[in-house]
Amino acid sequence: MTPWTLEAALRRAAVRAYGLASEDVPLVWPRNDHAGEGADAASALAPRLVRLVAGRRSRPSAVSGRVVAELARMRDEGLVDYARAGDDARGFVNVAFTDTQHRDLLAAAADGPRLLTGRAWDGRGEWPTTPLHEAGPVAQARRLARADARRRLAVATGESSPPPGPGDAEVSWRDPYLDGGHGESVTPAARLLGTVGEASARIAFCRSIPERPREAETTGLDLPVLPSAEHPGAWVRLTDANPAFRLRYAHAHAVSRVRWTGEGAAEPAPCPRHTARVRGLLFDGTSSVDTAARREEPHILVRYLEALARAYDEWRTCPTADPEGARGAAVDPALPAAVAGVLRTGLFLLGVSAPTRL
């Protein structure tokens, strides 16, 4: 079950329950982080529909109850499947997936572009990329990086099919600026790029909210919004203190883990709680990309990717994982491939490469 299939099922249930035209039903992405206990996703469609179908004084729960009842009829007709569905006091429709739907979500997430945008990236054109070293002040380089991210998000979610995106080719950790490929670093922006590299610079520039940050503003411990060659903060480090490094390392680890499994390495069985957390974040990727594009706020995508990388780290380092692989829970080798697919696509939308080896 992907966000696309669940949204379509809920839309169809609303159309059937109230005799609406499909285009009259607003787009409301179901999300895992809105779900109640025991559910995999929840939709706030009913509160958005209440004025349209039931009047201003009606409660959203009256609408959600009818949508849930219609979903049940659709399941009886073989039009949709799920483990459980119900509504809550907020009027949200909560849905629990079957084991097969959990596996289907992981398989779908391995194709990051299709999960995040609902289609293949096989159109024509070029992805916007501005050489950041051409900027003078660091603030100008920041504006260019943020504009690139906004344009790339717009291309990915626009009406036309996006051009081909990140493929499965091997990508190294080499950086064009750290490797000295742009000549003498004269401007403050060029000196910064020569100090922290392009990946760290683009993530640093897209991670914060305000368009005109204060000089000493930070987005976390030792993470300046406007780093400089003289004061780069944690953006220069190759440790978890640097969000850019952590994101790229998580992708490299996930790809490597898929490769190790294919080569016959023993796979521990992680605990169900950490598996569910990663799976839920994968499900929320679609709405995160859509929101970042609509609001033109790339920090939404950065923070989403950070949450996914953090959940993946907790999954792979879980102390309760079964080292024998098969004693406790079923091993799911599809999860690293799913995480890699979404991280690779998200980083690409920010103009950042995703290394494939540790």
Side-chain angles (χ1 to χ4, degrees):
M1 178 77 81
T2 69
W4 300 91
T5 54
L6 182 54
E7 193 278 334
L10 291 167
R11 175 182 298 271
R12 187 169 184 180
V15 166
R16 286 170 47 128
Y18 289 99
L20 300 170
S22 180
E23 58 268 21
D24 291 336
V25 180
L27 173 64
V28 180
W29 289 115
R31 288 187 61 92
N32 172 265
D33 60 4
H34 292 167
E37 185 70 27
D40 289 290
S43 170
L45 177 60
R48 295 282 303 276
L49 278 177
V50 67
R51 291 189 180 183
L52 178 64
V53 301
R56 183 171 298 180
R57 295 184 180 181
S58 298
R59 294 182 178 180
S61 57
V63 178
S64 61
R66 286 188 61 174
V67 172
V68 169
E70 196 60 46
L71 270 180
R73 283 188 282 271
M74 289 168 59
R75 183 171 64 172
D76 292 341
E77 297 170 18
L79 299 176
V80 67
D81 190 26
Y82 53 85
R84 296 182 308 279
D87 60 333
D88 57 29
R90 303 169 298 174
F92 282 32
V93 176
N94 289 265
V95 180
F97 304 156
T98 65
D99 290 342
T100 298
Q101 289 171 330
H102 286 151
R103 292 191 293 270
D104 289 346
L105 172 62
L106 295 181
D111 184 350
R114 188 175 293 277
L115 177 76
L116 297 180
T117 66
R119 56 192 171 173
W121 290 5
D122 55 4
R124 297 183 177 181
E126 299 291 335
W127 289 93
T129 303
T130 305
L132 300 185
H133 66 276
E134 295 181 358
V138 172
Q140 182 183 11
R142 180 177 184 268
R143 288 193 294 271
L144 294 175
R146 291 167 72 83
D148 280 349
R150 289 181 173 123
R151 290 198 298 269
R152 291 167 83 96
L153 282 163
V155 168
T157 59
E159 294 183 1
S160 302
S161 294
D168 297 328
E170 192 163 308
V171 177
S172 74
W173 286 87
R174 296 179 67 86
D175 186 284
Y177 293 102
L178 293 178
D179 294 340
H182 285 278
E184 187 177 0
S185 299
V186 177
T187 66
R191 289 199 299 272
L192 170 66
L193 290 163
T195 302
V196 304
E198 182 176 18
S200 289
R202 286 189 182 273
I203 296 295
F205 294 153
C206 291
R207 193 175 193 257
S208 58
I209 300 174
E211 291 303 309
R212 297 184 179 276
R214 298 186 301 274
E215 188 70 26
E217 189 170 342
T218 65
T219 59
L221 182 62
D222 203 20
L223 294 172
V225 173
L226 291 172
S228 64
E230 296 73 25
H231 301 287
W235 295 111
V236 76
R237 300 176 194 166
L238 300 180
T239 69
D240 282 354
N242 178 352
F245 175 81
R246 186 170 191 176
L247 289 174
R248 301 174 84 215
Y249 183 89
H251 177 268
H253 188 283
V255 172
S256 297
R257 187 156 186 168
V258 172
R259 185 172 59 251
W260 299 333
T261 302
E263 294 170 352
E267 274 288 300
C271 74
R273 180 172 63 88
H274 285 120
T275 299
R277 173 62 176 157
V278 175
R279 197 169 53 225
L281 279 161
L282 291 169
F283 185 89
D284 286 349
T286 303
S287 59
S288 296
V289 167
D290 182 64
T291 302
R294 284 189 294 103
R295 297 183 181 177
E296 297 186 338
E297 295 179 351
H299 77 274
I300 293 175
L301 176 56
V302 174
R303 298 307 178 99
Y304 163 73
L305 295 175
E306 289 181 28
L308 177 59
R310 184 164 53 250
Y312 173 72
D313 287 343
E314 293 170 355
W315 176 84
R316 68 181 178 84
T317 60
C318 175
T320 63
D322 177 8
E324 299 300 324
R327 282 208 308 257
V331 177
D332 200 343
L335 189 143
V339 170
V342 172
L343 284 178
R344 178 169 59 249
T345 306
L347 287 169
F348 180 84
L349 291 173
L350 297 168
V352 176
S353 64
T356 52
R357 289 186 179 270
L358 296 175

